[in-house]
Amino acid sequence: MARQYRRANDALRPIKITRHFQHGPAGSVLIEIGRTRVICAASIEDRVPFFLRGTGTGWLKAEYALLPSATETRTPREAAKGKQNGRTQEIQRLIGRSLRAVMDLSALGERTVTIDCDVIEADGGTRTAAITGAFIALVEACDSIYKKGDIFPVTGYAAAVSVGINQANEPVLDLCYEEDSEALVDMNIVMREDLELIELQGTGEGRTYSRSELNTLLDLAQKGIRELIAYEKDALGMELVWRVGRVG
């Protein structure tokens, strides 16, 4: 089946990462993966939730929002409804878990990092793009408090990607909205650079799938994660790429 951008089944969509997209946050990124575009920002406050007070340990939390005009059919603002829907809550928890998995929270001190991910255009993979972009914003933010000789709070690289099985029963990487809406099997996978899994969300949408197919999809995800982390490193450049995982 022909894919968007005439790409192979194991190819990512075109990627563009713009750092310092906003002036206010300690770290900010515009990440564009195909037609999906997400603003990711990281802000740091000198306080922690009550359950961490006096422990010397920091925290990271995430918020996610889809702008009303991000999709072809307008999505009403959740603020106007007075509450977040279940999907929003699930995604922001996923972003938080994914980034905390590559952090030394004690190295933050008693500070809280808040990650804001705002989708300005959605064409599939908004949660995976948010995680990948937010990682870069997080590194930028942590650099603003880092002092020589300290442990850098971000201990390793992480990224996220979608994989699935399409209507032709072919495994595919990085699904756009059309592919995602028709997929027989759909997965979102988050991994560290060492390819240890952080999270795997997999669903048989149109049929069940075998252990062998799962292994194929995991291999495909690993390929995509490696490429996405290479993009992260390119975006951070020599200025910051060496900070990640630094002790002292």
Side-chain angles (χ1 to χ4, degrees):
M1 296 177 65
R3 302 190 74 200
Q4 191 182 53
Y5 304 106
R6 297 184 180 180
R7 58 194 170 111
N9 286 351
D10 65 349
L12 296 170
R13 289 172 288 177
I15 298 172
K16 182 180 178 181
I17 297 170
T18 306
R19 286 180 53 199
H20 309 303
F21 189 71
Q22 295 172 294
H23 296 293
S28 69
V29 164
L30 171 66
I31 184 165
E32 302 172 72
I33 301 182
R35 289 199 290 264
T36 290
R37 299 192 294 163
V38 187
I39 300 171
C40 305
S43 304
I44 300 181
E45 298 175 281
D46 291 324
R47 60 180 180 176
V48 291
F50 72 92
F51 61 87
L52 289 173
R53 290 173 191 163
T55 65
T57 298
W59 188 243
L60 179 143
K61 62 180 181 178
E63 296 185 10
Y64 169 96
L66 187 76
L67 295 190
S69 57
T71 54
E72 287 187 9
T73 303
R74 185 183 185 277
T75 304
R77 293 184 192 273
E78 291 183 338
K81 297 179 179 179
K83 64 177 182 179
Q84 292 179 320
N85 64 38
R87 177 180 180 274
T88 296
Q89 294 179 34
E90 182 241 325
I91 291 175
Q92 56 195 29
R93 288 171 184 155
L94 169 64
I95 296 167
R97 288 194 303 269
S98 299
L99 297 179
R100 288 194 297 270
V102 287
M103 291 193 72
D104 180 346
L105 293 171
S106 63
L108 270 180
E110 292 197 15
R111 299 183 179 95
T112 296
V113 180
T114 300
I115 301 293
D116 289 295
C117 297
D118 292 285
V119 180
I120 60 176
E121 190 165 4
D123 185 30
T126 62
R127 72 187 69 193
T128 54
I131 292 167
T132 303
F135 175 85
I136 301 168
L138 174 63
V139 174
E140 281 188 356
C142 288
D143 183 61
S144 71
I145 60 168
Y146 175 74
K147 294 180 181 178
K148 187 176 180 180
D150 289 349
I151 297 171
F152 193 72
V154 184
T155 60
Y157 286 86
V161 75
S162 63
V163 291
I165 297 175
N166 65 16
Q167 288 285 323
N169 284 301
E170 301 166 333
V172 290
L173 177 67
D174 188 17
L175 285 66
C176 66
Y177 174 76
E178 183 179 5
E179 291 174 321
D180 180 71
S181 64
E182 297 178 349
L184 300 176
V185 178
D186 178 30
M187 291 185 183
N188 295 298
I189 297 175
V190 191
M191 289 183 182
R192 302 188 319 194
E193 185 176 19
D194 61 7
L195 302 181
E196 288 281 311
L197 283 162
I198 296 173
E199 185 125 1
L200 188 158
Q201 300 177 333
T203 305
E205 301 278 3
R207 65 167 174 82
T208 57
Y209 55 97
S210 68
R211 176 65 177 270
S212 174
E213 288 175 315
L214 172 61
N215 290 339
T216 297
L217 291 174
L218 286 171
D219 289 342
L220 198 56
Q222 286 185 354
K223 177 182 182 296
I225 295 290
R226 286 193 184 100
E227 293 176 16
L228 287 166
I229 289 175
Y231 277 105
E232 290 175 345
K233 291 181 177 181
D234 285 345
L236 290 170
M238 293 304 296
E239 172 195 3
L240 292 179
V241 71
W242 61 277
R243 290 269 202 239
V244 178
R246 187 172 180 82
V247 179

